[in-house]
Amino acid sequence: MAANLFLPGGVVAMPAEAADRLIASGSGDAALLYLWLLRKNGAASLEEAGNALRWDGGRLTTAWDVLSGKGLAPAMPQAAPQPQQEEPPEYTAEDIARELEDQNSSFPALVGEVQRRLGKILSTADLKTLYTLYDFLALPAEVICLLVSWCVEEMERKYGPGRKPRMSQIRKEAFVWRRLGVDTDQAADAYIKRQAELRTREGQVLSLLGITGRPAVDGERKYIAAWTDMGFGDEAIRMAYERTVLKKQTMSWPYMNSILRSWHQKGLHTPAEIETGDAAPMRTPGPNAPAPSGPGSDRDAGHMTDDIQWMKDFLARQKSEQGGN
């Protein structure tokens, strides 16, 4: 039997024109954000939307820009002041000892596994930090193990084999995971897979931009993640890069991002779509237009003058010959 999705009082209505605009945008993220806002009657902040959809800032901003470009972005109320995040308690050595002696606790086994993955015996301070993840954040032991392994891989990727993260670094990442809702085995696996895919993509994009010999920095990673979520391939990114350099005479991440976001809002993602839908207009310089600048501009201007003079001479000869006949 098919489920009844049209429950009394549970119908969310969407104007046909809004649906047409969303379809024309070609953005699934924009459609999902619009649906969430519709479900909340527009009475919600972007911060709440990001938390509910578990999106990072770049993905949320991109979807919002699409809605704005299609005239579907409501006036957002200001987010209510958030209460100050509760601070974890100051655990004592006695708290740790009591937990380690508890035969029904999974904490002792977790300590052994973390020590193995970090290759060292945890100090009392380290144990307190680990217990914060286990007790205060309430992350399952399996998730904490995945977190530690991920932090180890990241440290070695950045600084070379054998480098291990400090517990303070693991703690910082744990709070990020908890805020993003990465608190189950399945969520952790999906998060790690997504990050690994982005790392691969980061290297590919840096290579396209002529940047080699180093990983992407945090700011670059956010841009690349947003472009990946928008669905741009290598050729489109290279086109945006070339336009950026032609305009700025150097690489500018914000400017290149503005180009790609503009294409995304117009539904242009492939080279063919971009060339058709966003071709640079040809302008005829007026009498007061400044002289061209850049390498070779004088040479090009000289060639154009010679061509014009040749054409004038040719037309004059033609006219003279016709008159003679």
Side-chain angles (χ1 to χ4, degrees):
M1 175 188 271
N4 182 8
L5 298 180
F6 298 98
L7 302 176
V11 176
V12 177
M14 177 187 298
E17 183 180 356
D20 291 341
R21 293 184 187 182
L22 288 173
I23 293 170
S25 76
S27 171
D29 280 356
L32 183 57
L33 177 58
Y34 185 80
L35 184 62
W36 186 86
L37 293 170
L38 199 63
R39 180 67 180 85
K40 296 295 183 179
N41 296 318
S45 68
L46 276 181
E47 183 178 358
E48 292 173 308
N51 291 334
L53 297 172
R54 296 183 179 180
W55 289 354
D56 59 29
R59 185 175 182 184
L60 182 62
T61 300
T62 299
W64 178 257
D65 286 344
V66 174
L67 292 184
S68 298
K70 293 296 182 180
L72 297 174
M76 299 298 292
Q78 295 295 322
Q82 296 295 315
Q84 187 174 7
Q85 184 177 6
E86 181 184 358
E87 291 295 324
E90 291 290 338
Y91 295 109
T92 65
E94 289 73 19
D95 294 329
I96 304 301
R98 185 166 48 252
E99 192 69 28
L100 289 172
E101 293 170 0
D102 186 350
Q103 296 182 355
N104 296 320
S105 172
S106 59
F107 187 67
L110 173 62
V111 171
E113 184 60 25
V114 171
Q115 290 181 151
R116 185 186 69 80
R117 299 189 186 201
L118 293 181
K120 69 173 187 177
I121 300 299
L122 298 182
S123 66
T124 300
D126 290 338
L127 289 171
K128 291 179 181 179
T129 299
L130 182 60
Y131 193 59
T132 299
L133 314 188
Y134 179 83
D135 182 67
F136 177 71
L137 294 183
L139 292 176
E142 295 81 2
V143 173
I144 295 175
C145 288
L146 289 172
L147 167 68
V148 172
S149 294
W150 167 251
C151 290
V152 169
E153 291 175 6
E154 281 293 279
M155 183 63 67
E156 292 185 340
R157 184 181 68 85
K158 290 180 179 179
Y159 303 108
R163 296 295 298 272
K164 304 293 184 182
R166 298 188 299 274
M167 283 302 300
S168 59
Q169 294 170 306
I170 295 173
R171 180 185 187 275
K172 180 180 179 180
E173 187 68 17
F175 274 82
V176 172
W177 281 32
R178 190 66 182 84
R179 186 174 68 250
L180 295 175
V182 184
D183 51 9
T184 65
D185 291 355
Q186 294 79 7
D189 285 336
Y191 179 82
I192 291 172
K193 181 179 179 181
R194 166 66 172 167
Q195 294 305 308
E197 291 172 349
L198 285 177
R199 294 296 178 272
T200 300
R201 187 61 182 147
E202 287 163 12
Q204 294 169 345
V205 172
L206 289 182
S207 179
L208 284 173
L209 306 185
I211 301 172
T212 59
R214 65 167 179 82
V217 299
D218 287 344
E220 295 168 344
R221 290 174 56 193
K222 291 177 181 178
Y223 283 125
I224 295 172
W227 302 342
T228 301
D229 289 336
M230 292 180 204
F232 286 110
D234 289 355
E235 293 182 64
I237 289 176
R238 183 68 189 183
M239 291 173 69
Y241 169 72
E242 291 175 355
R243 290 197 184 188
T244 298
V245 174
L246 284 173
K247 177 68 176 179
K248 295 292 187 179
Q249 301 301 308
T250 187
M251 172 56 186
S252 169
W253 287 88
Y255 188 83
M256 183 172 168
N257 184 57
S258 69
I259 293 175
L260 289 166
R261 284 173 59 182
S262 173
W263 290 345
H264 182 64
Q265 290 169 9
K266 297 174 184 177
L268 312 175
H269 296 90
T270 68
E273 292 171 344
I274 294 167
E275 290 174 356
T276 302
D278 196 49
M282 298 296 292
R283 293 186 177 90
T284 302
N288 298 322
S293 61
S297 58
D298 292 339
R299 182 187 68 247
D300 294 340
H303 285 174
M304 182 177 294
T305 301
D306 293 343
D307 290 343
I308 293 173
Q309 187 60 49
W310 179 87
M311 181 61 69
K312 287 181 178 179
D313 294 342
F314 174 80
L315 293 175
R317 288 196 300 272
Q318 289 287 92
K319 185 175 181 181
S320 176
E321 291 173 359
Q322 290 174 359
N325 295 333

